[in-house]
Structure formats: C-alpha cells, structure tokens
C-alpha cells in the first residue's frame, strides 16, 4: 500500500466558488481515484486509474432550547441551545451556528438559529432548507402562593379604622381592585395598601387580586393552586348596638307628656342619652323621623291618666348601629315589620302628687 496514492477532487463541473469554500469532507459531489506508484505489482500501468463519483450528504441538525423559570432578579435570560446531528453532536455556537437572543418575561419565544458559512457546507436543519431555523424556548412563570386573609373576616363596628393583614401579597406579581358593596362613595370604600385592608363603616367589602400581565401578554407568575385566576378576599363590619338611656323614670300627675331631646342633654328635664362609640354623634341617625316618646297624653282638663307607660321609639335608621338588641339598654323590642314602633327597656310612671 505504500505504492498507492488515493486522490479526491470535486466532481467535474463543480464551480470554482464551491471548490474555494469547501474542504475535504464537506457535503458535496466528489470523485476519487487510486494512483499506482512505481513498483506496484497490479495490472494497471503506473499512474493509471479511473475516477469514481460519490456524494457526501449534509448532516441533518435538530436544535432544542432548555426551558427556564422567570427570575425577577435577572434583567434578561439567554437560552441554552443544544444542536445535534446524526453523526455530529453538540455543535459549537459561533462556529457552526449563531444566534443572538435574550428575554425576561415569561412566554414561549421563537429563537432564530443561523448556520455559519462554514456550517452551511456540512449541515442542514431538519424540516427546513433555509440557513435559519426557529426553535421554541419557554420562560415559565414563577409559582407563588395565593393571597390569604389573616384574622377574622367579620368584626363589629367600632367607630374607628379596622384592619386585616393579607398574607402572600406580592406587589410585583399582583394587581387589585376594591368593591365597596352597596356603598359607592370612595370616602366610604375599603382601602388596600402595603398588604393591609382598611375599612371603618359597616359593610361588606371585597378586594380582588389578579396576576399582572407582562409585556408579552402573559404573566410572570402563576398560583401554586389550580383555583381560578382571581382571588377574592371579603371582609365585613357588622352593626354595633346603640344604647339609649332614659334618665327620668316618673312624672307628676297633671304634668305635660315627656318630650325627649334628640341629643345628649336633659332638655325639658327629660334626659335621653345616646351611647355613641368613639367620636360618633347624632349624625349617625339617618333622616329626621326618629323620635322617642310615650303614650301618655295630658287631657283637656289638664290632667292625665296615672299609670306606667313604656318608652317607645320609631323612625330609627342608621348605617352603623342596630335598632334591635337585648334589654340591657340597647334598642330592643319588635321589629318594624311587626309594629310601627319599638319599646325601650324603660318606663315612665305617672304618679299622683
């Protein structure tokens, strides 16, 4: 075999540009021959041979990208690309192919990969005759816990702001909206700030949390659970009982009927004290139909029937206070649906002088 010389050449008719850019082993049409040297003991005369044609196919490449998870601490992420052929494994980026791509938001992207001039002589992409192919690369949303309410959701009115802490709230991941129930005014509405729900007046309030959309239209986060997208946290403030205290228990036969003041005073010597909470006052009563009275009536002759008269009230409406309760001083008795008035746990006794 030391007398044998194997020679390769491009198949006759190959263009000069093809020859110039290719090296031995490139995917092209080739010819090969055996040249016998002096002293060879074969039938062919020295230097004689035939050219035999053969073809080297390009290796077919498949590219994949390794999916990652959204990372708020990174400005962007670059995909890790793996390119393998049937015979050539782990091709080198920058030598056989190139790409220039990065992203930050959670989404599925098309990453373009382009064969280099050198790579084009040896490889082709699977399912593509182009020098560029696109590979799918996904940045998956980061998984987070859903916001939850800490403490009791329902409390009683106190004439002051009441708060509820929201656990797992992440401002970068979530947006929120508030629903004030039947109270439309923004002054009456529930507020949410820095992970805390705040409300003052009686009502049922809902704060709805949803995942923020990113620039691509997806979300960079997703809930750990499989519950619906939105999270509704509802808190409620229920009415407090209002204590009315009547400080006079008797009058003298023949006196005028008691006229109770509509404020905290002893006007006309008949006291009616309101047990407001905090800084509340008579403005808590809606409208002007509220009154406290008895059925005692002074007659035309300046007298009146002696006896014991229950103290009654009517027309009581309040957002934050009940008009029903126990007989310990809170408004009590029949409901308006059963009678036009309610009785207080007090009586006025009309006595002989």
């Amino acid at each position: 075999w030391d007398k044998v010389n194997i020679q390769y050449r491009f198949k006759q008719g190959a263009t000069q540009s093809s020859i110039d850019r290719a090296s031995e082993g490139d995917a092209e049409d080739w010819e090969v021959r055996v040249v016998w040297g002096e002293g060879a003991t074969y039938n062919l005369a020295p230097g004689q041979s035939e050219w035999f044609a053969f073809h080297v196919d390009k290796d077919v490449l498949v590219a994949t990208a390794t999916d990652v998870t959204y990372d708020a601490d990174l400005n962007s992420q670059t995909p890790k690309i793996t390119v393998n052929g049937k015979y050539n494994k782990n091709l080198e980026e920058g030598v056989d192919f190139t790409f220039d791509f990065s992203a930050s938001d959670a989404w599925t992207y098309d990453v373009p990969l382009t064969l280099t001039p050198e790579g084009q002589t040896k490889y082709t992409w699977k399912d593509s005759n182009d020098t560029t192919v696109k590979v799918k690369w996904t940045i998956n949303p980061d998984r987070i816990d859903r916001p939850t309410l800490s403490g009791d959701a329902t409390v009683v009115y106190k004439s002051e702001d009441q708060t509820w802490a929201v656990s797992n709230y992440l401002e970068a991941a979530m947006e929120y909206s508030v629903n004030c129930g039947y109270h439309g005014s923004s002054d009456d509405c529930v507020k949410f700030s820095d992970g805390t729900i705040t409300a003052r007046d009686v009502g049922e309030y809902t704060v709805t949390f949803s995942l923020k959309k990113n620039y691509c239209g997806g979300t960079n986060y997703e809930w750990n659970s499989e519950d619906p997208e939105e999270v509704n946290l509802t808190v409620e403030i229920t009415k407090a009982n209002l204590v009315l205290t009547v400080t006079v228990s008797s009058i003298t036969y023949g006196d005028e009927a008691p006229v109770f003041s509509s404020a905290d005073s002893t006007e006309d010597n008949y006291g009616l004290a309101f047990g407001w909470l905090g800084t509340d006052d008579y403005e808590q009563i809606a409208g002007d139909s509220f009154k406290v009275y008895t059925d005692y009536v002074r007659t035309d002759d300046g007298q009146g029937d002696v006896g014991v008269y229950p103290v009654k009230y009517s027309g009581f409406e309040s957002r934050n206070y009940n008009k029903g309760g126990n007989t310990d001083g809170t408004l009590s008795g029949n409901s308006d649906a059963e009678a036009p008035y309610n009785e207080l746990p007090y009586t006025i006794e009309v006595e002989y002088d």
Side-chain angles (χ1 to χ4, degrees), residues 27 53 91-92 122 134 153 162 177 179 193 211 225-226 242 287:
L91 271 66
E92 186 176 353
K122 303 175 183 178
K134 293 181 179 180
Q162 302 197 63
S177 61
N179 186 330
S193 178
L211 296 170
S225 65
E226 299 301 326
L242 175 62

Side-chain angles (χ1 to χ4, degrees), residues 58-64 82-92 95-98 113-116 118-128 130-131 133:
K58 293 182 179 181
D59 199 359
V60 178
L61 303 179
V62 176
T64 57
T82 301
V83 177
N84 288 317
K86 182 177 181 180
Y87 302 102
N88 300 272
K89 306 298 183 182
N90 297 317
L91 271 66
E92 186 176 353
V95 175
D96 302 302
F97 68 94
T98 61
L113 309 181
T114 301
L115 291 172
T116 63
E118 179 179 346
Q120 293 174 33
T121 66
K122 303 175 183 178
Y123 310 109
T124 186
W125 299 112
K126 183 180 180 181
D127 301 325
S128 176
D130 200 347
T131 57
V133 71

Side-chain angles (χ1 to χ4, degrees), residues 241-248 258 260-261 270-275 285 290-295 308-316 322-335 340-348:
N241 288 331
L242 175 62
V243 178
L244 289 181
T245 303
V246 177
T247 59
V248 176
F260 295 99
S261 169
Y270 298 106
L272 179 60
F274 290 80
I285 299 177
F290 174 66
K291 66 178 181 177
V292 178
Y293 64 98
T294 69
D295 289 335
V308 177
Y309 295 84
V311 179
K312 303 176 181 180
Y313 72 93
S314 65
F316 180 84
N322 281 315
K323 62 177 180 180
N326 302 317
T327 57
D328 59 357
T330 57
L331 301 184
S332 62
N334 297 324
S335 69
Y341 65 87
N342 290 276
E343 292 185 356
L344 290 169
Y346 298 101
T347 59
I348 296 295

Side-chain angles (χ1 to χ4, degrees), residues 167-235:
S167 301
N168 304 324
Y169 173 66
L170 182 61
E171 183 176 3
M174 305 173 196
E175 55 190 8
Y176 66 89
S177 61
V178 297
N179 186 330
C180 299
Y182 61 89
H183 306 303
S185 170
S186 59
D187 293 336
D188 296 331
C189 196
V190 63
K191 297 176 176 62
F192 179 77
S193 178
D194 297 328
T196 301
I197 299 173
T198 303
R200 184 185 188 278
D201 291 322
V202 167
E204 185 177 89
Y205 307 101
T206 300
V207 182
T208 299
F209 298 90
S210 58
L211 296 170
K212 286 182 178 179
K213 296 292 185 182
N214 59 30
Y215 181 79
C216 298
T219 62
N220 290 332
Y221 299 88
E222 63 184 6
W223 307 125
N224 272 324
S225 65
E226 299 301 326
D227 291 337
E229 289 186 6
E230 294 185 342
V231 178
N232 295 313
L233 299 183
T234 300
V235 299

